[in-house]
Amino acid sequence: MDTKAQLNQPIYDVGIKKRMNTLEKMWWLILSAVFILGVYSIIDGFLLQGMSSTNLSNTVPWGGWVAFYIYFIGMSAGSFLLSTLVYGFGMEQYEKIGRSALLSAIVSMITALTFIFLDLGRPDHVFNSVIYWNVTSTMSWEIHFYIVYLILLVTELYLTMRGDLIKLSKTSQGVKSKIYQILVFNKKEMTDIDKGKDRKLLKILGIIGIPLAIFGVHGGTGSIFAVLKARPFLNSGLFPIIFILSALVSGTALAIAIYVIKNKVQKKPIDVTMVKALGGMLALFLVIELGLEWYEFLIGSYGLQHEELATMKLMTTSAWSWSFWLFQMGLAMVFPLTILFVKKTRQSVNWILAAAIMTIVGVVGVRFNMVVPSLIVPQLEGLPQGNYYPNLSEWITTIGLLAMCLLIYTIGEKLLPIEEDETSENGVSQHE
Amino acid sequence: MGLFSKVAPSIKEFGDMVNNILPDGEKELEQSPYDTKLGLDMARDARKVIAGKIKIEDFHKVYSASLISEFGDHFVSGPEVSKDKKYTGPKWGMVIDLKKCIGCDTCTVSCKAENRTPPGMSYNVVLETELGSYPNISVMNLPRPCMQCDKPACVQVCPTRASFKMENGIVAIDNDRCIGCRYCMVACPYGARSYDFGNGYEEEMTGYDEITSPEYGMDRGKRKKGKVPEGTVRKCNFCFHRLERGEEPACVETCIGDARFFGDFNDPNSVVSKLAASPRAFRLKEELGTQPRVVYLR
Ligand code: SF4
Ligand code: SF4
């Protein structure tokens, strides 16, 4: 019983298998269709019309794509930090989500970079941002951090999978086997020494990765906004920390959602203890975030600074306020917190999943509120007040990229041994 | 018939044609009271200096003695640029007298015409605010070009160093380097930057697309879709291309009330330096530490 396929065999009966196939086909079909639509929109808008295809203006130069860019950066940093629990700190109880957290960190990062690439006015000049380094520019640092971070993620995922890849290169046939052979550099056997080495390397990478993800990638991305003294609402030392917290929130929520949904669809047993523990973590992060946000608003409003007050007023009372109350405060804060606090709901996998999905959706609003409101408030009295909603072209592109994100993730799951070998977890798992 | 002739003059022949009409150096110098040979030698070596074959210092070393003996003490030859690299040229700045500004927007219009800014973009705007309540009411006009800050927030954040501070005090943008990330627009506390969305006035105004904005003295030919500066960020640069040819910025030249003054803040005796020392002088958002080079008189 050395391959996963054999191991899973008894769990499936023929009916489930059939249903799986149609489900999977639909999944691929819908995602590809949406993705193609997105590609069309990118060609039609971004390539042929440039930025004039968006609702962006000189008063609101950043919009939806920047919001989604930081959304996915957050997802990535959060997922990665979760994976370090396993590979950095050796918390075996989370082993089952380790690789998929790494994979989602990579995929989120790719998606984030695609979003921000689409937001550039001159994609043909993009390499200037790598060639010319402005040491005082947070964005310049970020671009370099992202590259290092992505390399680190890929290396780490590779090392965690190496043993299974070697197995796969032997058991699979044809082209697939060739690919696996190339991936493992034709290595035939995974000795215990190799395993030990990999584990050590993983630990080191995890330890380098933690500060890189926290301070470099995520705190740094938060600093891109926090350093803007022209935007008093963003210009606070707490801002990057809130940014990191909402990364942890969305990363944890994503890990829960992926794990539970995947196992539900495949009709596999769910490790309830782990899901509950993750739910508890999510609640903890949410509470800390709420506390930080409270101080952000308290101190911000206490300063009585004109622009800061105007931004807060805009967020909480204007025509955009639904995004603050419903998404940021509701979906990404109060609703999941309530679910995770009430005794009855916090014990149930389904409720925890609901809380996770709410958070994932709500954080989109959180990210929009970080970007747009402070840009709408004019910098000088008399300058025009901005107005921004993403237009149809921006939405189609966005949805297309979301589909791309899911597609890459699914391909990754299909081709790579993302799920842990089941033999190792039989002991700890507790079935629903 | 020259038109159909197969024989075309060679490049050298063109050169000879030019040489034929040049005055003969030797003959010309003969007429002056000074040494002819010295003049001819210096002319020959000066060409070598220009071609980079001789160092200017050596040139001066060779000729300074003969020059002094020929022209006397009032001509002392030596390298003109001082050794220390410190910039001593002008540092441009602007003073705007708000008492004189009537809010006519001439500056805005002349700026648009001069810099050929597309729709939705204006390097200069005049902000109007009403103060007080009826009947004690006044209107404040605040012309706002780019402040050319000495500690510019935009330059600080630009990831590519496409935005940079020039020695003459002007903050410039290298549009050929700019990636169009618009970080600088978000960072500027004065809203002085705009993004070139690539639109134009071609429909209302024939010939708008015939020339690209002459900014920074660059001739970019026709304005075309997808061509720089489209997709990059633009802003006021004190009409750098006009300064280069000795003209004031367009807004200063056209201001009907003479509310704008332009000059060298490095020179303590310039009009702008004197005005900036007035107790009426203030700068916008001083508290942010951007140190604008545009000073207002209240
Ligand atoms: S006014 Fe704005 S664009 Fe101009 S130099 Fe200052 S920060 Fe830069
Ligand atoms: S838009 Fe251009 S000038 Fe502005 S920060 Fe980005 S690269 Fe620099």
Side-chain angles (χ1 to χ4, degrees), chain A residues 11-302:
Chain A
I11 302 174
Y12 293 127
D13 59 53
V14 188
I16 293 177
K17 220 175 184 178
K18 227 179 182 172
R19 208 177 62 114
M20 273 296 298
N21 276 340
T22 37
L23 255 179
E24 199 182 323
K25 260 191 208 135
M26 271 181 43
W27 175 252
W28 286 109
L29 212 72
I30 294 172
L31 283 186
S32 316
V34 177
F35 176 58
I36 289 168
L37 198 68
V39 171
Y40 167 77
S41 154
I42 290 173
I43 294 173
D44 183 54
F46 174 70
L47 285 181
L48 296 180
Q49 295 172 47
M51 281 299 134
S52 51
S53 66
T54 66
N55 257 356
L56 295 172
S57 61
N58 280 324
T59 25
V60 187
W62 281 356
W65 292 341
V66 172
F68 273 102
Y69 142 72
I70 56 176
Y71 177 74
F72 279 102
I73 294 278
M75 285 279 180
S76 175
S79 307
F80 169 75
L81 289 176
L82 212 61
S83 81
T84 58
L85 288 184
V86 186
Y87 303 114
F89 299 110
M91 293 166 92
E92 309 268 308
Q93 65 266 41
Y94 298 115
E95 188 105 45
K96 262 166 257 133
I97 54 160
R99 288 184 199 170
S100 84
L102 272 179
L103 179 64
S104 57
I106 294 173
V107 177
S108 300
M109 205 58 205
I110 294 173
T111 318
L113 293 181
T114 319
F115 268 110
I116 203 60
F117 179 72
L118 286 189
D119 203 59
L120 290 185
R122 291 223 67 102
D124 52 333
H125 291 180
V126 63
F127 286 110
N128 288 349
S129 62
V130 187
I131 302 168
Y132 304 105
W133 188 325
N134 181 5
V135 283
T136 62
S137 167
T138 40
M139 189 182 282
S140 186
W141 281 94
E142 281 325 292
I143 293 163
H144 295 88
F145 273 135
Y146 293 160
I147 298 171
V148 177
Y149 175 65
L150 205 53
I151 295 172
L152 181 128
L153 286 180
V154 172
T155 323
E156 195 162 317
L157 180 63
Y158 174 72
L159 287 178
T160 60
M161 297 185 314
R162 205 152 76 118
D164 289 350
L165 279 175
I166 291 174
K167 273 186 216 157
L168 275 174
S169 72
K170 280 183 277 185
T171 50
S172 56
Q173 302 133 3
V175 193
K176 257 191 170 178
S177 146
K178 269 265 144 35
I179 296 177
Y180 293 130
Q181 269 171 26
I182 294 170
L183 278 179
V184 295
F185 300 106
N186 241 339
K187 205 170 161 57
K188 288 277 169 338
E189 212 53 65
M190 192 78 176
T191 59
D192 280 345
I193 303 173
D194 285 334
K195 271 188 199 155
K197 251 199 221 153
D198 280 6
R199 201 163 301 145
K200 213 166 176 186
L201 249 172
L202 271 174
K203 204 160 192 168
I204 296 172
L205 285 181
I207 300 295
I208 301 174
I210 293 169
L212 185 71
I214 295 184
F215 298 108
V217 174
H218 216 66
T221 309
S223 308
I224 289 184
F225 295 84
V227 297
L228 296 170
K229 62 184 167 200
R231 316 284 170 180
F233 178 69
L234 304 176
N235 191 209
S236 97
L238 258 192
F239 194 84
I241 301 176
I242 294 187
F243 224 87
I244 296 169
L245 251 297
S246 48
L248 288 171
V249 165
S250 53
T252 317
L254 183 71
I256 297 176
I258 290 179
Y259 175 75
V260 176
I261 293 177
K262 204 169 67 187
N263 284 13
K264 269 194 190 295
V265 171
Q266 298 179 347
K267 291 259 180 301
K268 283 196 206 150
I270 291 172
D271 180 350
V272 183
T273 337
M274 186 184 76
V275 174
K276 270 198 245 162
L278 285 173
M281 249 199 281
L282 180 59
L284 176 71
F285 293 145
L286 281 171
V287 170
I288 301 178
E289 194 193 351
L290 185 65
L292 291 180
E293 255 174 54
W294 158 250
Y295 285 119
E296 178 87 344
F297 274 81
L298 175 74
I299 287 151
S301 52
Y302 211 83

Side-chain angles (χ1 to χ4, degrees), chain B residues 175-298:
Chain B
N175 296 89
D176 294 302
R177 186 185 284 190
C178 169
I179 57 173
C181 64
R182 307 187 290 287
Y183 194 12
C184 50
M185 294 175 67
V186 180
C188 169
Y190 307 95
R193 291 183 163 239
S194 322
Y195 177 79
D196 194 330
F197 283 90
N199 44 358
Y201 290 108
E202 191 63 26
E203 270 151 39
E204 301 117 82
M205 191 179 121
T206 34
Y208 174 79
D209 281 349
E210 282 309 301
I211 353 172
T212 312
S213 160
E215 283 170 314
Y216 308 108
M218 298 224 348
D219 183 2
R220 294 183 185 273
K222 282 192 178 179
R223 182 173 160 84
K224 267 199 233 119
K225 196 86 209 144
K227 206 171 115 186
V228 174
E230 188 195 329
T232 64
V233 166
R234 298 168 57 179
K235 70 168 190 72
C236 158
N237 46 62
F238 277 172
C239 281
F240 183 59
H241 58 288
R242 288 173 60 96
L243 297 179
E244 287 289 272
R245 48 178 199 245
E247 293 174 60
E248 290 185 308
C251 55
V252 179
E253 192 167 284
T254 56
C255 176
I256 64 162
D258 237 351
R260 293 192 184 227
F261 302 87
F262 190 79
D264 178 8
F265 273 133
N266 258 7
D267 171 5
N269 289 317
S270 66
V271 179
V272 282
S273 295
K274 286 179 185 160
L275 287 176
S278 142
R280 287 167 63 207
F282 75 99
R283 298 190 291 188
L284 283 183
K285 298 201 181 183
E286 187 80 71
E287 72 279 6
L288 294 185
T290 43
Q291 304 185 12
R293 297 191 73 77
V294 173
V295 176
Y296 292 91
L297 299 181
R298 150 173 57 194

Side-chain angles (χ1 to χ4, degrees), chain B residues 15-147:
Chain B
D16 290 344
M17 280 163 79
V18 175
N19 281 343
N20 279 340
I21 61 155
L22 282 183
D24 179 358
E26 196 170 342
K27 246 191 250 157
E28 297 286 321
L29 285 172
E30 286 284 299
Q31 292 169 18
S32 87
Y34 301 109
D35 189 351
T36 306
K37 183 153 185 314
L38 177 64
L40 288 175
D41 287 351
M42 280 184 79
R44 186 198 59 221
D45 286 347
R47 274 196 209 120
K48 287 189 188 160
V49 170
I50 289 168
K53 286 179 192 143
I54 299 183
K55 275 202 203 129
I56 181 90
E57 289 85 5
D58 295 340
F59 179 85
H60 286 298
K61 225 181 266 162
V62 171
Y63 290 108
S64 84
S66 357
L67 278 174
I68 290 172
S69 69
E70 190 72 21
F71 298 104
D73 269 356
H74 65 272
F75 188 90
V76 180
S77 131
E80 277 152 41
V81 276
S82 59
K83 276 267 164 57
D84 63 308
K85 283 234 183 78
K86 213 168 165 315
Y87 176 77
T88 49
K91 267 202 156 221
W92 302 116
M94 192 183 279
V95 175
I96 303 177
D97 189 340
L98 298 181
K99 280 260 160 61
K100 283 178 163 182
C101 173
I102 58 164
C104 65
D105 275 308
T106 303
C107 45
T108 310
V109 174
S110 62
C111 172
K112 266 195 101 64
E114 177 67 37
N115 291 299
R116 305 181 74 88
T117 51
M121 181 192 293
S122 191
Y123 293 170
N124 181 85
V125 287
V126 182
L127 308 174
E128 288 181 23
T129 346
E130 273 177 29
L131 302 171
S133 55
Y134 185 81
N136 301 319
I137 198 166
S138 78
V139 173
M140 190 183 72
N141 304 310
L142 186 83
R144 193 242 47 212
C146 165
M147 304 286 137

